Amino acid sequence: MNIIVTIKQVPDTNDVRIDPITGTLIREGVPSIVNPEDRHAVELGLSLRDEAGGGKVTVISMGPPQAEVALRQVLAMGADEAVLLSDRAFAGADTLATACTLYHAVKKIGVFDLIICGRQAIDGDTAQVGPQLAEFLNIPQVTYSVGARLENSKTLLVKRMTDVGFQTIAVPLPALVTCLKEANRPRIPTLRGCMDAYRERPFHVWDASYIGAPVDDIGLRGSPTQVRRTFQPSPRGNGFLLTGDAQDCVLRLVGLIHERGLV
Ligand SMILES: Cc1cc2nc3c(=O)[nH]c(=O)nc-3n(C[C@H](O)[C@H](O)[C@H](O)COP(=O)(O)OP(=O)(O)OC[C@H]3O[C@@H](n4cnc5c(N)ncnc54)[C@H](O)[C@@H]3O)c2cc1C
């Protein structure tokens, strides 16, 4: 089974700094980690590869050269091959341009049965890249997965979380799945795994021309979403608790809403 897992390197801090000119996140020199849900996505990929009795898990990431560290960390978990998509032309990408870049990289990789993304990145927080990548590839997608198993070589059974419980969906392969942290417990890299991550496992760095990505479709140029202004929202006044009988609380709340001209 050929599985591709997308991972993002994200700032390991709440103290994010925004570039006042481009309005994009300053990543250089900021402590970074593998996006938490992407570790669960890698774990799901490794367990499906093993369940299928073999195959390959390729991990890909679009980011600055320092994103190599994140890819080596998931290679150490047991992924087979890694691709870093790094080029100044990718900088400042919004979710559409990010998905477009990943699309061209997947086309370059060629044959695959399954793509697994994390549901959401903890910095951009949009949960848009997975579904957008599936659209670019014109393949079925199942989001919010908390587990998956092969029904046969052409069908995957995916358990997904919904607002009211769980659903199990049979999806024809190739397909894309986004993964929640509830799906599994990511394995801890072994010493052997860490050594192989730097010595044995193939590691590629691809730029825009190698994957054939048109410059107008990637990076800041390919981004319909431009960050206009970033600012620290001013802290809101202290809230207060209405206590007592429910009926009475509702009446007092409605009174306050009118009093403050909120309707
Ligand atoms: C504070 C902030 C706000 C932003 N707001 C917006 C916005 O409103 N609209 C917008 O279009 N862009 C926005 N961006 C830019 C956006 O973060 C980038 O486009 C980013 O590359 C992808 O979006 P995301 O972080 O929301 O990822 P998500 O869509 O939340 O990520 C889902 C999954 O996609 C995969 N993935 C995401 N990025 C990459 C990558 N670079 N390489 C490999 N796999 C990846 C991972 O598996 C990840 O778990 C924002 C960025 C920041 C820092």
Side-chain angles (χ1 to χ4, degrees):
M1 191 176 186
N2 288 316
I3 300 169
I4 298 173
V5 183
T6 64
I7 71 150
K8 186 180 183 187
Q9 185 181 50
V10 294
D12 181 16
T13 172
N14 292 329
D15 173 22
V16 290
R17 288 173 303 125
I18 304 270
D19 180 317
I21 316 296
T22 63
T24 57
L25 216 57
I26 296 171
R27 294 181 189 277
E28 279 70 27
V30 175
S32 300
I33 54 172
V34 174
N35 181 52
E37 277 178 340
D38 296 344
R39 280 186 182 282
H40 296 274
V42 172
E43 180 58 39
L44 181 60
L46 298 175
S47 52
L48 284 170
R49 175 200 64 190
D50 302 345
E51 183 194 324
K56 190 160 105 174
V57 173
T58 303
V59 284
I60 65 176
S61 188
M62 179 192 89
Q66 73 185 53
E68 171 176 349
V69 177
L71 284 166
R72 298 281 183 191
Q73 286 170 1
V74 292
L75 281 175
M77 286 174 67
D80 303 288
E81 190 156 343
V83 176
L84 172 58
L85 304 166
S86 198
D87 190 324
R88 293 220 55 79
F90 298 148
D94 72 355
T95 59
L96 192 70
T98 301
C100 179
T101 306
L102 295 172
Y103 160 73
H104 285 285
V106 169
K107 298 302 274 181
K108 193 77 189 175
I109 290 171
V111 180
F112 66 92
D113 300 296
L114 180 65
I115 298 180
I116 311 176
C117 306
R119 176 257 327 243
Q120 193 158 339
I122 59 171
D123 57 350
D125 248 357
T126 65
Q128 292 172 5
V129 170
Q132 287 171 326
L133 178 54
E135 284 302 308
F136 273 114
L137 290 162
N138 194 23
I139 56 175
Q141 59 178 281
V142 182
T143 57
Y144 291 70
S145 80
V146 290
R149 65 177 179 79
L150 281 169
E151 183 165 51
N152 55 52
S153 63
K154 284 289 163 222
T155 311
L156 189 72
L157 286 180
V158 183
K159 184 178 177 189
R160 68 184 297 266
M161 192 185 281
T162 69
D163 296 344
V164 291
F166 297 94
Q167 278 175 323
T168 298
I169 296 185
V171 60
L173 296 175
L176 181 142
V177 162
T178 75
C179 186
L180 294 178
K181 64 180 185 320
E182 288 79 2
N184 52 42
R185 281 172 68 94
R187 64 196 68 186
I188 309 294
T190 59
L191 181 58
R192 174 86 225 171
C194 296
M195 287 157 59
D196 286 354
Y198 282 85
R199 292 198 192 136
E200 305 294 329
R201 310 271 160 77
F203 190 98
H204 314 282
V205 181
W206 292 352
D207 61 13
S209 65
Y210 185 77
I211 61 174
V215 285
D216 290 337
D217 297 351
I218 57 175
L220 215 47
R221 280 170 71 157
S223 298
T225 310
Q226 306 270 325
V227 176
R228 275 272 172 276
R229 185 168 67 90
T230 51
F231 60 92
Q232 198 77 21
S234 47
R236 282 189 292 181
N238 295 340
F240 58 89
L241 206 56
L242 287 175
T243 53
D245 147 71
Q247 183 76 14
D248 175 49
C249 287
V250 171
L251 287 174
R252 283 159 56 202
L253 182 59
V254 171
L256 281 167
I257 290 171
H258 282 286
E259 201 182 288
R260 298 186 181 190
L262 298 173
V263 284

